[in-house]
Amino acid sequence: MSRPLPDLSIRQLEYLVAVAGSPTWATAAAAVGVSPSALSQGLAELERRVGVPLFDRIGRRRVVRPGVETVLAHARQVVALTGDLAEWADRTRDGAIGRLRVGMIDAAVVGHFPEVLREFRSQHPHIDMHLAVAPSGSLLDGLTAGAIDMVVCVQPPSPVRGIDTVPLLVEDLAVYGPDERVDSPPTDWGPWVMFPEGSHTRSVIVDALRNLGSPIEIVAESHQPEVLRAVVGLGLGWTVLPVVQGRGSGPGLTRGRVIACRRLVVAKRHGAAVVPSVDLLERALRRDRA
Amino acid sequence: MSRPLPDLSIRQLEYLVAVAGSPTWATAAAAVGVSPSALSQGLAELERRVGVPLFDRIGRRRVVRPGVETVLAHARQVVALTGDLAEWADRTRDGAIGRLRVGMIDAAVVGHFPEVLREFRSQHPHIDMHLAVAPSGSLLDGLTAGAIDMVVCVQPPSPVRGIDTVPLLVEDLAVYGPDERVDSPPTDWGPWVMFPEGSHTRSVIVDALRNLGSPIEIVAESHQPEVLRAVVGLGLGWTVLPVVQGRGSGPGLTRGRVIACRRLVVAKRHGAAVVPSVDLLERALRRDRA
DNA sequence: TCTTACAGTTAAGAAAAACTGAACTAGTCT
DNA sequence: AGACTAGTTCAGTTTTTCTTAACTGTAAGA
């Protein structure tokens, strides 16, 4: 049943609406901002394409025939819908509305950017924003799968296919131990309580410790810094944490030297279109860093 | 508020709908019957005009972004509306539906074309038909005013500005008198009961009588032939009627010679578009005459 | 009746848009 | 690696649409 649709242009439908609402075609032409000739030709073309006579000549002017309200109604409706779409596009383009699926690691959410996120939320209430907090690896999985539009995570040890990363900030990783032994030489450190195997941060840490000559014995693992801190507090071992998550020292938790740093990046799908709302958030994050 | 609307073409919206419903753009291109290249360029243009990114690249294929359902919904709606319009146009074009405002003089309705009208009505039940029955003069007024699309009436004595007439049929006008005196010489005829001043038929009749040398004294007037016949039956005078309306002779009503003829014409506004439903009726009338 | 003004159309040419086929780029599959 | 394939870009052609200018037909004054 899909015979070729008449290829009416929005422009022509606009002409028709304008003509129906103007005393004379010349004024209608002025209203839509074209020459009377263009209007005349455009409407002739519209009439030809619809294949049904649309106008009557009355004296020296032409009027929309009674009996073609169907067409006129169609024109009005399409023009109105297009107007709505244009408005939607305008607002979407400057980020006033839109959909935003972000993934961030915990440190970014609670450590670095809580204020940025709060402010973004209040300044763009019409952006439909979802925030996924998870380890870098699963965030990047979500990104490739298309469930997330933008990720703030630890720079992957090796580039990931289909994902572009841009540096965002560098943060220090410090040793945390149960007491002042944290100031002893690295060879005396440990055992360790650490992020699980596969964690980007863990690979950074393990590399650094190896370089320092520290023995690497791991007695507990968790993705949650709070858990790691607590375990250290129980005296079961040492850990290495981003300083934003170490919160200085405390009872049973003493901060030692900075032994490495990890790079947080903004990751997006390779070739992903620039979406205003996403772009807006990324700018906000970078602005905060500066 | 009337910033220029984006000039989206129906065609481009069709592309979008096709792409959303096809596994691959190539198949979508085939579905709408254009080359993949055309589809690609068309959609790129659409995206440019809307001003908002519409697609994501996933692997080597492109998919409609989540978040632009707004645009997709708009496209679907407009395409559907256009389909409806196309269907309406098809049916209107071959006269299956439409609006039809006809004016006819009484003789045409009850004398010449009752069968044609009845059949037309039953064969085209979806044509919204209105029939106005009135004297020729007021029908033509209605025609110029645009209230009527087509008129069957007596040919006006002189051409009417803005109205085109095409002959339809010629009918005889006969003298009717109270008794066999109708066969006497014209100089003995009368007095007359006649259509009112201004009637086209009356001017035809008066001309004919004058040529025959009959005295023209008018004692009663009516637009209604039944009334004229009745008045003649009462013995108040003579009349001249189209033979279809004299219905032969009767008590107190004797038919005499044919003294003139009047031309019925089909009248339309000058420059009026050919509307299928109107055209259809006119053809039916002419077919009946042949 | 002649002139003038006006509403809309037609004509000619320029500019923009859309299409096709061919060459090309970049993921995917084997 | 090599063949394949989805989609894009390019070049050239056709189609559409616009502008200006000349033209037709109607209305309105003088």
Side-chain angles (χ1 to χ4, degrees):
Chain A
M1 64 144 289
S2 269
R3 65 236 158 285
L5 290 182
D7 185 15
L8 318 176
S9 80
I10 304 289
R11 185 60 73 80
Q12 290 167 349
L13 296 178
E14 260 186 288
Y15 289 174
L16 181 60
V17 172
V19 153
S22 300
T24 170
W25 286 30
T27 59
V32 288
V34 299
S35 67
S37 170
L39 187 90
S40 175
Q41 295 177 74
L43 287 174
E45 186 60 23
L46 175 67
E47 195 170 30
R48 202 184 59 69
R49 289 187 185 167
V50 173
V52 168
L54 301 179
F55 305 102
D56 257 345
R57 178 166 271 108
I58 186 165
R60 72 184 174 190
R61 61 185 24 133
R62 297 188 83 191
V63 295
V64 179
R65 291 189 68 86
V68 297
E69 298 84 2
T70 313
V71 183
L72 188 53
H74 173 263
R76 281 192 217 282
Q77 189 173 4
V78 170
V79 168
L81 285 171
T82 305
D84 291 347
L85 181 68
E87 197 186 328
W88 173 89
D90 282 346
R91 286 195 291 146
T92 300
R93 203 174 307 120
D94 54 57
I97 60 177
R99 212 182 75 138
L100 180 51
R101 301 283 181 272
V102 221
M104 289 191 171
I105 56 171
D106 49 11
V109 174
V110 303
H112 301 295
F113 302 114
E115 268 316 310
V116 177
L117 290 172
R118 196 192 329 277
E119 189 178 331
F120 187 86
R121 205 81 177 84
S122 77
Q123 287 198 343
H124 306 284
H126 294 295
I127 292 184
D128 169 25
M129 171 167 151
H130 272 234
L131 178 62
V133 181
S136 302
S138 37
L139 290 178
L140 291 179
D141 289 345
L143 186 61
T144 30
I148 305 179
D149 297 321
M150 171 183 141
V151 158
V152 174
C153 66
V154 180
Q155 183 167 48
S158 60
V160 180
R161 272 183 70 85
I163 288 185
D164 292 337
T165 62
V166 184
L168 179 60
L169 66 88
V170 178
E171 63 178 344
D172 292 333
L173 302 174
V175 172
Y176 290 82
D179 49 42
E180 65 288 340
R181 275 181 293 155
V182 294
D183 296 323
S184 61
T187 46
D188 296 343
W189 293 349
W192 300 101
V193 168
M194 215 169 264
F195 294 117
E197 187 74 50
S199 152
H200 297 176
T201 302
R202 170 160 162 165
S203 62
V204 171
I205 294 169
V206 169
D207 280 354
L209 289 178
R210 210 186 305 279
N211 285 341
L212 290 171
S214 166
I216 303 177
E217 184 198 351
I218 294 169
V219 297
E221 292 183 340
S222 171
H223 265 305
Q224 304 183 49
E226 281 77 13
V227 173
L228 298 182
R229 282 212 314 269
V231 174
V232 173
L234 295 176
L236 269 64
W238 296 38
T239 191
V240 178
L241 286 175
V243 295
V244 289
Q245 288 180 321
R247 305 229 186 96
S249 307
L253 186 74
T254 308
R255 172 175 161 181
R257 340 177 353 200
V258 168
I259 61 155
C261 57
R262 67 177 185 180
R263 299 164 189 285
L264 297 199
V265 298
V266 171
K268 290 190 250 181
R269 268 185 303 282
H270 176 63
V274 174
V275 178
S277 52
V278 171
D279 195 49
L280 216 53
L281 178 59
E282 183 175 355
R283 282 168 197 280
L285 295 176
R286 296 193 183 284
R287 198 179 316 120
D288 182 70
R289 281 297 92 182
Chain B
M1 57 143 283
S2 269
R3 42 95 192 52
L5 289 182
D7 185 14
L8 317 177
S9 80
I10 304 291
R11 185 59 73 81
Q12 289 167 351
L13 297 179
E14 263 186 284
Y15 289 174
L16 182 59
V17 172
V19 154
S22 299
T24 171
W25 285 30
T27 59
V32 285
V34 298
S35 66
S37 170
L39 188 90
S40 175
Q41 296 176 73
L43 286 174
E45 186 61 23
L46 175 67
E47 195 170 31
R48 203 184 60 69
R49 289 189 185 167
V50 172
V52 168
L54 301 179
F55 306 102
D56 256 346
R57 179 166 268 109
I58 185 166
R60 71 186 175 191
R61 61 185 25 131
R62 297 187 84 190
V63 295
V64 179
R65 290 187 70 86
V68 297
E69 297 85 3
T70 313
V71 183
L72 187 53
H74 173 263
R76 282 191 216 281
Q77 189 173 4
V78 171
V79 168
L81 285 171
T82 305
D84 290 348
L85 181 69
E87 197 185 329
W88 173 90
D90 282 347
R91 286 195 290 148
T92 301
R93 203 174 308 120
D94 54 58
I97 60 177
R99 212 183 73 140
L100 180 51
R101 301 284 180 272
V102 220
M104 289 192 170
I105 55 171
D106 49 10
V109 175
V110 302
H112 300 294
F113 301 114
E115 268 317 309
V116 177
L117 291 173
R118 194 189 334 274
E119 188 178 331
F120 187 86
R121 205 81 177 87
S122 76
Q123 288 199 341
H124 305 285
H126 295 294
I127 292 183
D128 168 26
M129 172 167 148
H130 273 234
L131 177 61
V133 181
S136 301
S138 34
L139 290 178
L140 292 180
D141 288 346
L143 187 61
T144 31
I148 305 179
D149 298 321
M150 170 183 142
V151 158
V152 174
C153 67
V154 180
Q155 183 167 50
S158 61
V160 180
R161 273 184 69 86
I163 288 185
D164 292 336
T165 62
V166 184
L168 178 61
L169 65 89
V170 178
E171 62 177 345
D172 291 334
L173 302 174
V175 173
Y176 290 82
D179 48 43
E180 63 288 341
R181 276 181 294 154
V182 293
D183 298 322
S184 60
T187 46
D188 295 343
W189 295 349
W192 300 101
V193 169
M194 215 168 263
F195 294 118
E197 186 77 48
S199 153
H200 296 174
T201 303
R202 170 160 161 165
S203 62
V204 171
I205 294 169
V206 168
D207 280 356
L209 290 177
R210 210 186 305 278
N211 286 341
L212 291 170
S214 165
I216 303 178
E217 183 196 350
I218 293 169
V219 296
E221 292 182 340
S222 170
H223 263 307
Q224 303 182 53
E226 281 77 14
V227 174
L228 298 181
R229 284 212 313 269
V231 173
V232 173
L234 296 175
L236 268 66
W238 296 38
T239 192
V240 178
L241 285 177
V243 295
V244 288
Q245 287 179 321
R247 305 225 187 100
S249 308
L253 185 75
T254 307
R255 173 175 161 180
R257 333 171 6 194
V258 168
I259 61 156
C261 58
R262 68 176 184 181
R263 299 166 189 285
L264 297 198
V265 297
V266 171
K268 290 190 251 182
R269 269 185 302 284
H270 177 63
V274 173
V275 178
S277 52
V278 171
D279 195 50
L280 217 52
L281 177 59
E282 183 175 355
R283 282 168 197 279
L285 295 176
R286 295 194 184 284
R287 198 177 317 122
D288 182 70
R289 280 299 90 182

